[in-house]
Amino acid sequence: DDPNQEGIEQRAFGSFLSSCGGCSITTDHESEVLQCTQCQKPCGARLFSSIRMTDCPEGVFGNNNGNLACEDLPGGTYQRTCSPCNKDADGMLHCNCEGSPPAETSSVRADMCKRFINLNGYLACQPGHEGVPGGEGGAHPPPARPGRSCRAAPPGGAAR
């Protein structure tokens, strides 16, 4: 683990954590900036990259060819223990999360919550962030669709 990244995942989420090193949050002209000294490009080269925290309202960042960029994923601590995650054209969030059976994906409507957590391998609403406008509210997944796993969070489970 990169010692410069300690604690960064408390304020900035996303896939950048697995491909960028030397990351920190600094202040530049009264604006907070996420900067990483080594964001890996697909060819293996590593670049310095930075982005204003306010550029990505959900605080979810990715690595686009060595450059920090906003990811189109909802915020939340689930990104620490769920990877890879993606959002499809139907607005479904799909992740492989620690604590779930191998090769099984947890799927929920991305507009169901403002922020998500990993609840024993299941995506669930972060307490206090349920029911956004246009969402279903609560931690209930949509009905299962053919070819997709859609598991509800177990009652009384622990968040990761």
Side-chain angles (χ1 to χ4, degrees):
D1 286 337
D2 186 336
N4 293 326
Q5 279 189 252
E6 272 187 41
I8 193 94
E9 69 276 353
Q10 301 296 322
R11 301 192 45 217
F13 304 101
S15 64
F16 83 98
L17 290 167
S18 64
S19 60
C20 294
C23 299
S24 61
I25 297 175
T26 61
T27 302
D28 180 28
H29 304 314
E30 299 182 24
S31 178
E32 288 187 315
V33 176
L34 171 64
Q35 61 182 26
C36 298
T37 59
Q38 299 180 24
C39 282
Q40 188 169 350
K41 293 178 72 165
C43 66
R46 294 185 170 272
L47 305 174
F48 173 86
S49 184
S50 65
I51 189 170
R52 287 182 307 192
M53 295 288 288
T54 55
D55 287 350
C56 304
E58 296 298 328
V60 183
F61 302 90
N63 175 356
N64 183 3
N65 199 29
N67 296 302
L68 290 168
C70 300
E71 280 189 320
D72 185 24
L73 295 172
T77 59
Y78 72 98
Q79 295 203 13
R80 290 185 217 152
T81 56
C82 298
S83 179
C85 294
N86 65 71
K87 190 169 82 172
D88 67 22
D90 294 332
M92 296 292 293
L93 175 63
H94 307 282
C95 295
N96 292 330
C97 297
E98 290 178 14
S100 65
E104 191 155 337
T105 300
S106 180
S107 300
V108 295
R109 286 181 50 104
D111 65 356
M112 184 171 109
C113 313
K114 292 179 186 173
R115 300 182 77 71
F116 288 90
I117 59 172
N118 174 0
L119 189 65
N120 293 329
Y122 301 89
L123 291 168
C125 291
Q126 182 174 320
H129 293 275
E130 302 90 350
V132 298
E136 297 175 0
H140 305 287
R145 296 188 336 186
R148 297 183 185 214
S149 169
C150 191
R151 305 176 328 175
R160 292 180 187 259

